[in-house]
Amino acid sequence: MIKPIYVGLLSSDQFYTLVKNTLNAIQSSNIEDSLKASLTQRIQEEMVNYEHALMQGRKNPLTQVLETKDNIRAERFSGFKHVVKSLTYHWDANIKTAAGHILSVIDRHGWSLNTEGYAKESALLNSLIGELESETNQAHINTLQLNDWLGQLKTAQSEFEETSLEKDKIDAVEKPRVATSKKTLYNHFMAVLKYIDGQYDFNPNGALNY
């Protein structure tokens, strides 16, 4: 018996995997060969279009560039936080106090924020940088002589966001193509499932019950 499928909750890749697995299940079933060919052909023809749309979407030339920019900002953040932490052991009381204060700011925004997804990491970094640039915290940064580190972190974050915006512009052109193809494939997919479901009601057997 066909179970309800909430395709709207699936990503494009998850939906692709679902359809592909369903095709494999039909092809390996004991359904009559002529019917099997008819059912799979209806899905396979649109699967080709969907695969092409997905591949085009993944060919965004800025995808790899954005990943590189993300790695750079992660390195800058890691370097900055570890330098600050090391200064909490400094023999100079003023430096030790300033480092402790900045370390608490970093902890508040997330010691491991660089492991988050792109959007959340950006939000946390922007929030962190904004707080570090406040008058009080800037004084601590000056005491620690970490203006260069903070400047490098700001630059890395800014360059990531600029690249992200450019990538989104390209994605905005490709995503409608994927959505249109997904909708068409979904319609064919559901038609096949409904047909199998209807046949099962009249003739419940192992070949149709997958």
PDB file of all heavy atoms in Angstrom, residues 152-178:
ATOM      1  N   GLN A 152      41.658  41.716  10.087  1.00  0.00           N
ATOM      2  CA  GLN A 152      41.686  40.555   9.193  1.00  0.00           C
ATOM      3  C   GLN A 152      40.374  39.776   9.260  1.00  0.00           C
ATOM      4  O   GLN A 152      39.865  39.299   8.236  1.00  0.00           O
ATOM      5  CB  GLN A 152      42.857  39.636   9.564  1.00  0.00           C
ATOM      6  CG  GLN A 152      44.224  40.165   9.172  1.00  0.00           C
ATOM      7  CD  GLN A 152      44.441  40.145   7.671  1.00  0.00           C
ATOM      8  OE1 GLN A 152      43.924  39.280   6.964  1.00  0.00           O
ATOM      9  NE2 GLN A 152      45.214  41.107   7.175  1.00  0.00           N
ATOM     10  N   LEU A 153      39.827  39.642  10.466  1.00  0.00           N
ATOM     11  CA  LEU A 153      38.555  38.941  10.635  1.00  0.00           C
ATOM     12  C   LEU A 153      37.427  39.693   9.935  1.00  0.00           C
ATOM     13  O   LEU A 153      36.593  39.087   9.247  1.00  0.00           O
ATOM     14  CB  LEU A 153      38.240  38.797  12.132  1.00  0.00           C
ATOM     15  CG  LEU A 153      36.922  38.089  12.484  1.00  0.00           C
ATOM     16  CD1 LEU A 153      36.894  36.675  11.930  1.00  0.00           C
ATOM     17  CD2 LEU A 153      36.720  38.077  14.002  1.00  0.00           C
ATOM     18  N   LYS A 154      37.408  41.007  10.077  1.00  0.00           N
ATOM     19  CA  LYS A 154      36.381  41.823   9.427  1.00  0.00           C
ATOM     20  C   LYS A 154      36.478  41.714   7.905  1.00  0.00           C
ATOM     21  O   LYS A 154      35.465  41.583   7.213  1.00  0.00           O
ATOM     22  CB  LYS A 154      36.527  43.290   9.849  1.00  0.00           C
ATOM     23  CG  LYS A 154      36.115  43.580  11.270  1.00  0.00           C
ATOM     24  CD  LYS A 154      36.460  45.012  11.679  1.00  0.00           C
ATOM     25  CE  LYS A 154      35.812  46.026  10.770  1.00  0.00           C
ATOM     26  NZ  LYS A 154      36.143  47.423  11.171  1.00  0.00           N
ATOM     27  N   THR A 155      37.700  41.767   7.389  1.00  0.00           N
ATOM     28  CA  THR A 155      37.899  41.671   5.941  1.00  0.00           C
ATOM     29  C   THR A 155      37.440  40.315   5.417  1.00  0.00           C
ATOM     30  O   THR A 155      36.769  40.226   4.384  1.00  0.00           O
ATOM     31  CB  THR A 155      39.384  41.884   5.592  1.00  0.00           C
ATOM     32  OG1 THR A 155      39.774  43.200   5.981  1.00  0.00           O
ATOM     33  CG2 THR A 155      39.627  41.710   4.099  1.00  0.00           C
ATOM     34  N   ALA A 156      37.806  39.245   6.139  1.00  0.00           N
ATOM     35  CA  ALA A 156      37.424  37.898   5.714  1.00  0.00           C
ATOM     36  C   ALA A 156      35.904  37.737   5.705  1.00  0.00           C
ATOM     37  O   ALA A 156      35.336  37.142   4.780  1.00  0.00           O
ATOM     38  CB  ALA A 156      38.055  36.861   6.639  1.00  0.00           C
ATOM     39  N   GLN A 157      35.258  38.282   6.711  1.00  0.00           N
ATOM     40  CA  GLN A 157      33.798  38.203   6.787  1.00  0.00           C
ATOM     41  C   GLN A 157      33.149  39.018   5.677  1.00  0.00           C
ATOM     42  O   GLN A 157      32.189  38.580   5.040  1.00  0.00           O
ATOM     43  CB  GLN A 157      33.315  38.688   8.159  1.00  0.00           C
ATOM     44  CG  GLN A 157      31.813  38.853   8.311  1.00  0.00           C
ATOM     45  CD  GLN A 157      31.048  37.549   8.146  1.00  0.00           C
ATOM     46  OE1 GLN A 157      31.626  36.485   7.991  1.00  0.00           O
ATOM     47  NE2 GLN A 157      29.724  37.648   8.159  1.00  0.00           N
ATOM     48  N   SER A 158      33.679  40.200   5.429  1.00  0.00           N
ATOM     49  CA  SER A 158      33.138  41.066   4.385  1.00  0.00           C
ATOM     50  C   SER A 158      33.276  40.415   3.005  1.00  0.00           C
ATOM     51  O   SER A 158      32.333  40.427   2.199  1.00  0.00           O
ATOM     52  CB  SER A 158      33.859  42.414   4.403  1.00  0.00           C
ATOM     53  OG  SER A 158      33.410  43.244   3.351  1.00  0.00           O
ATOM     54  N   GLU A 159      34.437  39.827   2.730  1.00  0.00           N
ATOM     55  CA  GLU A 159      34.670  39.189   1.430  1.00  0.00           C
ATOM     56  C   GLU A 159      33.772  37.972   1.252  1.00  0.00           C
ATOM     57  O   GLU A 159      33.302  37.690   0.142  1.00  0.00           O
ATOM     58  CB  GLU A 159      36.137  38.804   1.299  1.00  0.00           C
ATOM     59  CG  GLU A 159      37.059  40.011   1.147  1.00  0.00           C
ATOM     60  CD  GLU A 159      38.516  39.625   0.982  1.00  0.00           C
ATOM     61  OE1 GLU A 159      38.837  38.408   1.131  1.00  0.00           O
ATOM     62  OE2 GLU A 159      39.341  40.506   0.704  1.00  0.00           O
ATOM     63  N   PHE A 160      33.536  37.232   2.343  1.00  0.00           N
ATOM     64  CA  PHE A 160      32.627  36.090   2.261  1.00  0.00           C
ATOM     65  C   PHE A 160      31.223  36.559   1.889  1.00  0.00           C
ATOM     66  O   PHE A 160      30.571  35.980   1.008  1.00  0.00           O
ATOM     67  CB  PHE A 160      32.579  35.335   3.586  1.00  0.00           C
ATOM     68  CG  PHE A 160      31.535  34.248   3.609  1.00  0.00           C
ATOM     69  CD1 PHE A 160      31.831  32.974   3.142  1.00  0.00           C
ATOM     70  CD2 PHE A 160      30.241  34.511   4.064  1.00  0.00           C
ATOM     71  CE1 PHE A 160      30.858  31.975   3.125  1.00  0.00           C
ATOM     72  CE2 PHE A 160      29.263  33.515   4.051  1.00  0.00           C
ATOM     73  CZ  PHE A 160      29.575  32.250   3.581  1.00  0.00           C
ATOM     74  N   GLU A 161      30.746  37.591   2.549  1.00  0.00           N
ATOM     75  CA  GLU A 161      29.382  38.063   2.301  1.00  0.00           C
ATOM     76  C   GLU A 161      29.221  38.634   0.900  1.00  0.00           C
ATOM     77  O   GLU A 161      28.177  38.462   0.275  1.00  0.00           O
ATOM     78  CB  GLU A 161      28.990  39.092   3.364  1.00  0.00           C
ATOM     79  CG  GLU A 161      28.848  38.494   4.754  1.00  0.00           C
ATOM     80  CD  GLU A 161      28.095  39.393   5.712  1.00  0.00           C
ATOM     81  OE1 GLU A 161      28.323  40.612   5.666  1.00  0.00           O
ATOM     82  OE2 GLU A 161      27.278  38.870   6.493  1.00  0.00           O
ATOM     83  N   GLU A 162      30.243  39.306   0.404  1.00  0.00           N
ATOM     84  CA  GLU A 162      30.184  39.835  -0.965  1.00  0.00           C
ATOM     85  C   GLU A 162      30.078  38.693  -1.978  1.00  0.00           C
ATOM     86  O   GLU A 162      29.285  38.752  -2.922  1.00  0.00           O
ATOM     87  CB  GLU A 162      31.429  40.674  -1.250  1.00  0.00           C
ATOM     88  CG  GLU A 162      31.460  42.007  -0.514  1.00  0.00           C
ATOM     89  CD  GLU A 162      32.771  42.743  -0.696  1.00  0.00           C
ATOM     90  OE1 GLU A 162      33.635  42.232  -1.454  1.00  0.00           O
ATOM     91  OE2 GLU A 162      32.948  43.817  -0.090  1.00  0.00           O
ATOM     92  N   THR A 163      30.874  37.647  -1.761  1.00  0.00           N
ATOM     93  CA  THR A 163      30.842  36.485  -2.656  1.00  0.00           C
ATOM     94  C   THR A 163      29.510  35.767  -2.545  1.00  0.00           C
ATOM     95  O   THR A 163      28.952  35.302  -3.543  1.00  0.00           O
ATOM     96  CB  THR A 163      31.986  35.508  -2.315  1.00  0.00           C
ATOM     97  OG1 THR A 163      33.236  36.189  -2.410  1.00  0.00           O
ATOM     98  CG2 THR A 163      31.995  34.320  -3.271  1.00  0.00           C
ATOM     99  N   SER A 164      28.986  35.676  -1.323  1.00  0.00           N
ATOM    100  CA  SER A 164      27.704  35.017  -1.102  1.00  0.00           C
ATOM    101  C   SER A 164      26.579  35.724  -1.851  1.00  0.00           C
ATOM    102  O   SER A 164      25.704  35.080  -2.450  1.00  0.00           O
ATOM    103  CB  SER A 164      27.391  34.986   0.398  1.00  0.00           C
ATOM    104  OG  SER A 164      26.164  34.329   0.642  1.00  0.00           O
ATOM    105  N   LEU A 165      26.602  37.045  -1.848  1.00  0.00           N
ATOM    106  CA  LEU A 165      25.581  37.814  -2.564  1.00  0.00           C
ATOM    107  C   LEU A 165      25.656  37.568  -4.075  1.00  0.00           C
ATOM    108  O   LEU A 165      24.629  37.414  -4.747  1.00  0.00           O
ATOM    109  CB  LEU A 165      25.743  39.306  -2.271  1.00  0.00           C
ATOM    110  CG  LEU A 165      25.296  39.781  -0.885  1.00  0.00           C
ATOM    111  CD1 LEU A 165      25.667  41.259  -0.686  1.00  0.00           C
ATOM    112  CD2 LEU A 165      23.795  39.589  -0.705  1.00  0.00           C
ATOM    113  N   GLU A 166      26.872  37.533  -4.595  1.00  0.00           N
ATOM    114  CA  GLU A 166      27.052  37.277  -6.026  1.00  0.00           C
ATOM    115  C   GLU A 166      26.597  35.868  -6.391  1.00  0.00           C
ATOM    116  O   GLU A 166      25.981  35.650  -7.441  1.00  0.00           O
ATOM    117  CB  GLU A 166      28.526  37.473  -6.417  1.00  0.00           C
ATOM    118  CG  GLU A 166      28.995  38.922  -6.349  1.00  0.00           C
ATOM    119  CD  GLU A 166      28.175  39.834  -7.237  1.00  0.00           C
ATOM    120  OE1 GLU A 166      27.923  39.469  -8.410  1.00  0.00           O
ATOM    121  OE2 GLU A 166      27.763  40.918  -6.773  1.00  0.00           O
ATOM    122  N   LYS A 167      26.907  34.913  -5.534  1.00  0.00           N
ATOM    123  CA  LYS A 167      26.479  33.525  -5.775  1.00  0.00           C
ATOM    124  C   LYS A 167      24.960  33.434  -5.765  1.00  0.00           C
ATOM    125  O   LYS A 167      24.365  32.727  -6.591  1.00  0.00           O
ATOM    126  CB  LYS A 167      27.073  32.597  -4.721  1.00  0.00           C
ATOM    127  CG  LYS A 167      26.648  31.137  -4.862  1.00  0.00           C
ATOM    128  CD  LYS A 167      27.269  30.280  -3.794  1.00  0.00           C
ATOM    129  CE  LYS A 167      26.805  28.833  -3.910  1.00  0.00           C
ATOM    130  NZ  LYS A 167      25.354  28.677  -3.715  1.00  0.00           N
ATOM    131  N   ASP A 168      24.325  34.137  -4.829  1.00  0.00           N
ATOM    132  CA  ASP A 168      22.859  34.099  -4.734  1.00  0.00           C
ATOM    133  C   ASP A 168      22.195  34.655  -5.991  1.00  0.00           C
ATOM    134  O   ASP A 168      21.118  34.194  -6.389  1.00  0.00           O
ATOM    135  CB  ASP A 168      22.390  34.898  -3.511  1.00  0.00           C
ATOM    136  CG  ASP A 168      22.672  34.167  -2.208  1.00  0.00           C
ATOM    137  OD1 ASP A 168      22.968  32.961  -2.254  1.00  0.00           O
ATOM    138  OD2 ASP A 168      22.607  34.813  -1.145  1.00  0.00           O
ATOM    139  N   LYS A 169      22.836  35.635  -6.614  1.00  0.00           N
ATOM    140  CA  LYS A 169      22.292  36.207  -7.848  1.00  0.00           C
ATOM    141  C   LYS A 169      22.268  35.161  -8.960  1.00  0.00           C
ATOM    142  O   LYS A 169      21.307  35.079  -9.734  1.00  0.00           O
ATOM    143  CB  LYS A 169      23.121  37.422  -8.288  1.00  0.00           C
ATOM    144  CG  LYS A 169      22.979  38.636  -7.386  1.00  0.00           C
ATOM    145  CD  LYS A 169      23.874  39.776  -7.866  1.00  0.00           C
ATOM    146  CE  LYS A 169      23.786  40.978  -6.924  1.00  0.00           C
ATOM    147  NZ  LYS A 169      24.692  42.077  -7.358  1.00  0.00           N
ATOM    148  N   ILE A 170      23.332  34.359  -9.021  1.00  0.00           N
ATOM    149  CA  ILE A 170      23.392  33.301 -10.036  1.00  0.00           C
ATOM    150  C   ILE A 170      22.391  32.200  -9.697  1.00  0.00           C
ATOM    151  O   ILE A 170      21.688  31.694 -10.574  1.00  0.00           O
ATOM    152  CB  ILE A 170      24.818  32.715 -10.115  1.00  0.00           C
ATOM    153  CG1 ILE A 170      25.801  33.800 -10.571  1.00  0.00           C
ATOM    154  CG2 ILE A 170      24.868  31.522 -11.063  1.00  0.00           C
ATOM    155  CD1 ILE A 170      27.256  33.372 -10.576  1.00  0.00           C
ATOM    156  N   ASP A 171      22.317  31.839  -8.414  1.00  0.00           N
ATOM    157  CA  ASP A 171      21.376  30.801  -7.986  1.00  0.00           C
ATOM    158  C   ASP A 171      19.931  31.208  -8.263  1.00  0.00           C
ATOM    159  O   ASP A 171      19.087  30.361  -8.570  1.00  0.00           O
ATOM    160  CB  ASP A 171      21.524  30.533  -6.484  1.00  0.00           C
ATOM    161  CG  ASP A 171      22.777  29.725  -6.163  1.00  0.00           C
ATOM    162  OD1 ASP A 171      23.317  29.091  -7.086  1.00  0.00           O
ATOM    163  OD2 ASP A 171      23.206  29.746  -4.996  1.00  0.00           O
ATOM    164  N   ALA A 172      19.658  32.506  -8.155  1.00  0.00           N
ATOM    165  CA  ALA A 172      18.295  32.993  -8.366  1.00  0.00           C
ATOM    166  C   ALA A 172      17.811  32.711  -9.784  1.00  0.00           C
ATOM    167  O   ALA A 172      16.606  32.580 -10.035  1.00  0.00           O
ATOM    168  CB  ALA A 172      18.217  34.486  -8.079  1.00  0.00           C
ATOM    169  N   VAL A 173      18.763  32.608 -10.722  1.00  0.00           N
ATOM    170  CA  VAL A 173      18.404  32.303 -12.110  1.00  0.00           C
ATOM    171  C   VAL A 173      18.141  30.809 -12.269  1.00  0.00           C
ATOM    172  O   VAL A 173      17.251  30.390 -13.009  1.00  0.00           O
ATOM    173  CB  VAL A 173      19.537  32.740 -13.064  1.00  0.00           C
ATOM    174  CG1 VAL A 173      19.223  32.328 -14.496  1.00  0.00           C
ATOM    175  CG2 VAL A 173      19.747  34.246 -12.969  1.00  0.00           C
ATOM    176  N   GLU A 174      18.921  29.981 -11.562  1.00  0.00           N
ATOM    177  CA  GLU A 174      18.836  28.535 -11.722  1.00  0.00           C
ATOM    178  C   GLU A 174      17.724  27.887 -10.911  1.00  0.00           C
ATOM    179  O   GLU A 174      17.109  26.916 -11.353  1.00  0.00           O
ATOM    180  CB  GLU A 174      20.174  27.893 -11.330  1.00  0.00           C
ATOM    181  CG  GLU A 174      21.347  28.304 -12.207  1.00  0.00           C
ATOM    182  CD  GLU A 174      21.167  27.901 -13.664  1.00  0.00           C
ATOM    183  OE1 GLU A 174      20.405  26.946 -13.923  1.00  0.00           O
ATOM    184  OE2 GLU A 174      21.765  28.532 -14.538  1.00  0.00           O
ATOM    185  N   LYS A 175      17.447  28.404  -9.721  1.00  0.00           N
ATOM    186  CA  LYS A 175      16.478  27.747  -8.840  1.00  0.00           C
ATOM    187  C   LYS A 175      15.083  27.607  -9.449  1.00  0.00           C
ATOM    188  O   LYS A 175      14.428  26.571  -9.270  1.00  0.00           O
ATOM    189  CB  LYS A 175      16.412  28.486  -7.506  1.00  0.00           C
ATOM    190  CG  LYS A 175      17.610  28.212  -6.614  1.00  0.00           C
ATOM    191  CD  LYS A 175      17.528  28.968  -5.296  1.00  0.00           C
ATOM    192  CE  LYS A 175      18.752  28.656  -4.434  1.00  0.00           C
ATOM    193  NZ  LYS A 175      18.735  29.415  -3.156  1.00  0.00           N
ATOM    194  N   PRO A 176      14.564  28.634 -10.166  1.00  0.00           N
ATOM    195  CA  PRO A 176      13.245  28.452 -10.774  1.00  0.00           C
ATOM    196  C   PRO A 176      13.203  27.275 -11.746  1.00  0.00           C
ATOM    197  O   PRO A 176      12.186  26.609 -11.873  1.00  0.00           O
ATOM    198  CB  PRO A 176      13.015  29.789 -11.495  1.00  0.00           C
ATOM    199  CG  PRO A 176      13.828  30.770 -10.722  1.00  0.00           C
ATOM    200  CD  PRO A 176      15.062  30.009 -10.340  1.00  0.00           C
ATOM    201  N   ARG A 177      14.326  27.025 -12.443  1.00  0.00           N
ATOM    202  CA  ARG A 177      14.369  25.900 -13.375  1.00  0.00           C
ATOM    203  C   ARG A 177      14.250  24.579 -12.628  1.00  0.00           C
ATOM    204  O   ARG A 177      13.568  23.654 -13.064  1.00  0.00           O
ATOM    205  CB  ARG A 177      15.675  25.937 -14.171  1.00  0.00           C
ATOM    206  CG  ARG A 177      15.836  27.181 -15.027  1.00  0.00           C
ATOM    207  CD  ARG A 177      17.201  27.233 -15.684  1.00  0.00           C
ATOM    208  NE  ARG A 177      17.415  28.505 -16.372  1.00  0.00           N
ATOM    209  CZ  ARG A 177      18.559  28.877 -16.915  1.00  0.00           C
ATOM    210  NH1 ARG A 177      19.602  28.078 -16.844  1.00  0.00           N
ATOM    211  NH2 ARG A 177      18.665  30.046 -17.524  1.00  0.00           N
ATOM    212  N   VAL A 178      14.926  24.493 -11.504  1.00  0.00           N
ATOM    213  CA  VAL A 178      14.853  23.283 -10.685  1.00  0.00           C
ATOM    214  C   VAL A 178      13.437  23.110 -10.138  1.00  0.00           C
ATOM    215  O   VAL A 178      12.882  22.007 -10.166  1.00  0.00           O
ATOM    216  CB  VAL A 178      15.864  23.347  -9.511  1.00  0.00           C
ATOM    217  CG1 VAL A 178      15.673  22.146  -8.579  1.00  0.00           C
ATOM    218  CG2 VAL A 178      17.293  23.388 -10.032  1.00  0.00           C
TER     219      VAL A 178
END
